[in-house]
Amino acid sequence: MAKPLVQMALDSLDFDQTVALATTVAPHVDILEIGTPCIKYNGIKLLETLRAKFPNNKILVDLKTMDAGFYEAEPFYKAGADIVTVLGTADIGTIKGVIDVANKYGKKAQVDLINVTDKAARTKEVAKLGAHIIGVHTGLDQQAAGQTPFADLNLVSSLNLGVDISVAGGVKATTAKQVVDAGATIVVAGAAIYGAADPAAAAAEISAAAKGTQSSGGLFGWLKKLFS
């Protein structure tokens, strides 16, 4: 089984601060994510800057597309994005458009299940269309309300559809391995890295945990650590 990938969410609105943080963490993660607020505020220029500066990292642009999938995603693939996201709540034609344009450029489309009511049905539907990655995503507002991604991860993983599963939502070093054990192939960390006193060390610790150098505590250990 291939080692899981670790993704860092870059959520700052400040262009220079984002580039500086990416420079700090890039050696320790596989994927640099330009978060939704960040890409909305800074635009495609930030993607072009990161693509030129970090040729060895994959770059995900979290567009969260809701309409005009092919048209909206194409410029970002052309500018160097490896992965672009589309909302699972979007029309199926919109999702197909992002998948089609990803295939056109030899890239990947990720379907974000945030706020999807029937996650099993939508996951099966988009996997059949050729979605490359399913995003199990507990948003910041949902995290503030006490929600976690574990139940949704367990559901999606149990479908055994052969697609990559990305998990975002409060992941930290003490829970990263348990997320992988539950079926995640891409582990996303944001605040646990950019909120740390030493972001590089935090990124390295999360990567080490996700890739198996720290022992797993099982489901009960995962839950205990998550809420500690």
Side-chain angles (χ1 to χ4, degrees):
M1 180 178 176
K3 291 284 187 183
L5 301 179
V6 174
Q7 177 175 314
M8 162 62 184
L10 300 163
D11 291 329
S12 173
L13 300 183
D14 186 284
F15 190 103
D16 293 335
Q17 186 179 78
T18 298
V19 174
L21 180 58
T23 301
T24 298
V25 303
H28 308 290
V29 300
D30 305 291
I31 304 170
L32 294 170
E33 171 195 335
I34 306 176
T36 310
C38 186
I39 195 64
K40 284 183 175 182
Y41 191 81
N42 292 291
I44 206 164
K45 181 182 176 183
L46 178 60
L47 168 60
E48 293 169 341
T49 299
L50 295 181
R51 179 72 289 157
K53 193 171 180 65
F54 306 107
N56 297 322
N57 293 87
K58 300 291 185 184
I59 297 179
L60 178 146
V61 178
D62 195 12
L63 288 183
K64 291 191 177 73
T65 293
M66 191 63 180
D67 190 24
F70 193 109
Y71 182 73
E72 182 168 288
E74 185 169 31
F76 292 89
Y77 285 121
K78 289 173 72 174
D82 298 287
I83 307 164
V84 169
T85 67
V86 57
L87 288 172
T89 53
D91 182 81
I92 198 66
T94 302
I95 296 172
K96 183 178 183 300
V98 178
I99 294 169
D100 286 348
V101 72
N103 289 333
K104 176 180 176 180
Y105 291 95
K107 306 295 186 177
K108 294 185 177 182
Q110 176 171 314
V111 179
D112 188 335
L113 296 183
I114 190 169
N115 291 333
V116 170
T117 302
D118 190 339
K119 291 179 171 60
R122 179 51 40 132
T123 298
K124 291 175 184 177
E125 190 174 20
V126 300
K128 188 174 181 180
L129 280 179
H132 308 92
I133 305 168
I134 301 298
V136 174
H137 183 192
T138 302
L140 291 174
D141 294 335
Q142 294 170 325
Q143 290 177 52
Q147 296 182 40
T148 76
F150 194 81
D152 292 338
L153 170 58
N154 187 58
L155 172 67
V156 172
S157 179
S158 71
L159 298 175
N160 295 312
L161 296 174
V163 296
D164 282 320
I165 303 173
S166 170
V167 177
V171 177
K172 50 192 175 182
T174 53
T175 59
K177 184 60 166 60
Q178 285 73 29
V179 170
V180 172
D181 288 346
T185 56
I186 301 172
V187 177
V188 185
I193 296 175
Y194 62 69
D198 186 340
E205 184 181 12
I206 290 170
S207 290
K211 292 171 191 283
T213 61
Q214 294 183 8
S215 62
S216 168
L219 173 58
F220 290 106
W222 188 90
L223 291 171
K224 182 179 178 182
K225 291 173 183 176
L226 183 63
F227 293 106
S228 63

